[in-house]
């Protein structure tokens, strides 16, 4: 098989993140040197409290790091002013959270539209894109509905559309199925698999085996350090069982 060099889209250098709690320094992310590759569906796993969310917030520029570097799409985001960072985030990244955070008084269409304000993009083009996305994810009938009129899974799919509307280089997701039942979760995971197949780079945190096995590369975080990785290759539904078994074995070896 031809070996293809992958582009590093995020690189960290001795990344550390600490919090000050009651006057004491609490080191959460410890000297992480990591590359995230373009086109990968990278999954970060690890037990609760291991620092997964903290790492994701550092990688995506949602939060400032304590020391070390994060190079995102060629730019050192640890040296950017807050103002420049805000613009950079809007252009380069999309973020999906566990808790659904749609704007309650905007309908589905308006929620997806909201990150495009002041981007100078063509209105007609955006409108068409939103229609296409809603149709693709089986949501066209919900276009005029408000968040409270949707199921949790539908709301999360809207959140994904909203995160994608500015064509981010990377889509980040923190436990995106964590608040959903299993069938709603599957539906949301299918959306992730589909956009990844189209070439979208994804970085997702999860502690759910079924969610994780959608990824092409699994990173295991333990106590703020990367403690092993597993290459799973591209996801195919027929191979789900084997993938889950490989992943389960990998996790068991790490005392999951
Ligand atoms: N803003 C914060 N202030 C203080 N401590 C924090 C903050 N955010 C996270 N932590 C601590 O960092 C550790 C890792 O948290 P987190 O990254 O949320 O873990 P995970 O997502 O793996 O469950 C926890 O002990 C948590 O209490
Ligand atoms: Mg978390």
């Amino acid at each position: 098989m031809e070996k293809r060099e992958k582009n590093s889209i995020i690189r960290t250098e001795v990344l550390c993140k600490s919090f000050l709690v009651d006057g004491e320094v609490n080191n959460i992310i410890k000297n992480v040197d990591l590359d995230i590759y373009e086109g990968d569906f990278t999954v970060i796993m690890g037990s609760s409290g291991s620092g997964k969310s903290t790492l994701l917030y550092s990688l995506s520029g949602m939060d400032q790091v304590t020391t070390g570097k994060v190079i995102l799409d060629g730019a050192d985001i640890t040296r950017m002013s807050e103002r420049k960072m805000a613009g950079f985030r809007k252009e380069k990244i999309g973020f999906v959270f566990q808790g659904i955070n749609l704007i309650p008084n905007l309908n589905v269409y308006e929620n997806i539209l909201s990150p495009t304000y002041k981007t100078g993009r063509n209105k007609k083009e955006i409108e068409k894109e939103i229609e296409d996305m809603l149709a693709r994810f089986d949501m066209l009938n919900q276009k005029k509905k408000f968040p409270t009129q949707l199921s949790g899974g539908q709301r999360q799919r809207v959140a994904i559309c909203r995160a994608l509307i500015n064509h981010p280089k990377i889509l980040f997701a923190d436990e995106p199925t964590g608040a959903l039942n299993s069938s709603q979760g599957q539906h949301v995971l299918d959306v992730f698999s589909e956009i990844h197949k189209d070439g979208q780079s994804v970085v997702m945190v999860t502690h759910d085996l079924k969610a994780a096995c959608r990824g092409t590369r699994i990173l295991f975080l333990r106590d703020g350090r990367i403690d092993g990785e597993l290459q799973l290759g591209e996801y195919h539904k027929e191979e789900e069982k084997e993938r889950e078994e490989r992943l389960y074995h990998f996790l068991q070896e790490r005392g999951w």
Side-chain angles (χ1 to χ4, degrees), residues 14-122:
V14 281
L15 171 64
C16 296
K17 176 72 184 177
S18 316
F19 295 106
L20 203 57
V21 181
D22 297 332
E24 273 190 42
V25 178
N26 207 351
N27 298 316
I28 303 301
I29 301 299
K30 299 164 183 164
N31 302 315
V32 169
D33 289 306
L34 174 67
D35 279 292
I36 303 282
Y37 299 100
E38 191 161 29
D40 262 4
F41 188 155
T42 307
V43 170
I44 301 169
M45 294 193 86
S47 55
S48 175
S50 57
K52 302 182 296 296
S53 295
T54 305
L55 178 61
L56 201 71
Y57 276 58
S58 298
L59 294 178
S60 59
M62 298 287 279
D63 200 359
Q64 295 240 307
V65 311
T66 306
T67 57
K69 274 189 190 178
V70 178
I71 318 284
L72 199 155
D73 198 28
D76 183 354
I77 61 172
T78 47
R79 285 164 184 272
M80 275 184 196
S81 67
E82 190 44 52
R83 206 172 132 253
K84 191 159 179 220
M85 190 59 228
F88 191 80
R89 265 200 304 264
K90 195 162 178 172
E91 188 187 331
K92 304 278 184 182
I93 78 151
F95 210 109
V96 177
F97 302 88
Q98 171 177 346
I100 317 290
N101 66 330
L102 299 177
I103 304 164
N105 58 338
L106 298 184
N107 67 29
V108 165
Y109 180 84
E110 293 160 341
N111 261 285
I112 302 173
L113 184 70
S114 63
T116 68
Y117 294 145
K118 295 185 180 167
T119 54
R121 289 180 56 196
N122 178 291

Side-chain angles (χ1 to χ4, degrees), residues 21-231:
V21 181
D22 297 332
E24 273 190 42
V25 178
N26 207 351
N27 298 316
I28 303 301
I29 301 299
K30 299 164 183 164
N31 302 315
V32 169
D33 289 306
L34 174 67
D35 279 292
I36 303 282
Y37 299 100
E38 191 161 29
D40 262 4
F41 188 155
T42 307
V43 170
I44 301 169
M45 294 193 86
S47 55
S48 175
S50 57
K52 302 182 296 296
S53 295
T54 305
L55 178 61
L56 201 71
Y57 276 58
S58 298
L59 294 178
S60 59
M62 298 287 279
D63 200 359
Q64 295 240 307
V65 311
T66 306
T67 57
K69 274 189 190 178
V70 178
I71 318 284
L72 199 155
D73 198 28
D76 183 354
I77 61 172
T78 47
R79 285 164 184 272
M80 275 184 196
S81 67
E82 190 44 52
R83 206 172 132 253
K84 191 159 179 220
M85 190 59 228
F88 191 80
R89 265 200 304 264
K90 195 162 178 172
E91 188 187 331
K92 304 278 184 182
I93 78 151
F95 210 109
V96 177
F97 302 88
Q98 171 177 346
I100 317 290
N101 66 330
L102 299 177
I103 304 164
N105 58 338
L106 298 184
N107 67 29
V108 165
Y109 180 84
E110 293 160 341
N111 261 285
I112 302 173
L113 184 70
S114 63
T116 68
Y117 294 145
K118 295 185 180 167
T119 54
R121 289 180 56 196
N122 178 291
K123 236 183 140 179
K124 278 264 167 296
E125 176 199 298
I126 295 171
E127 250 176 62
K128 166 138 191 0
E129 232 173 82
I130 296 178
E131 295 268 336
D132 289 349
M133 265 202 281
L134 288 173
R136 180 172 187 197
F137 301 136
D138 211 11
M139 299 274 303
L140 208 47
N141 294 337
Q142 327 296 332
K143 188 177 156 184
K144 295 271 169 62
K145 290 200 178 152
F146 288 87
T148 52
Q149 298 172 298
L150 304 175
S151 71
Q154 286 172 328
R155 281 196 289 244
Q156 198 57 302
R157 279 180 279 149
V158 174
I160 297 170
C161 292
R162 186 179 58 177
L164 290 174
I165 191 66
N166 285 334
H167 308 152
K169 278 268 179 182
I170 311 170
L171 178 68
F172 293 91
D174 192 0
E175 309 263 11
T177 57
L180 304 177
N181 68 31
S182 108
S183 91
Q184 290 180 344
Q186 286 300 321
H187 211 148
V188 165
L189 292 171
D190 286 343
V191 172
F192 277 99
S193 289
E194 208 171 309
I195 58 173
H196 168 252
K197 214 183 281 169
D198 284 354
Q200 176 69 53
S201 305
V202 179
V203 183
M204 176 175 83
V205 162
T206 186
H207 62 248
D208 176 49
L209 200 77
K210 275 218 172 310
C213 90
R214 301 298 182 116
T216 55
R217 179 190 184 208
I218 315 296
L219 302 171
F220 190 78
L221 193 67
R222 183 205 302 278
D223 194 20
R225 294 188 172 90
I226 304 290
D227 180 28
E229 67 171 88
L230 173 71
Q231 295 289 342

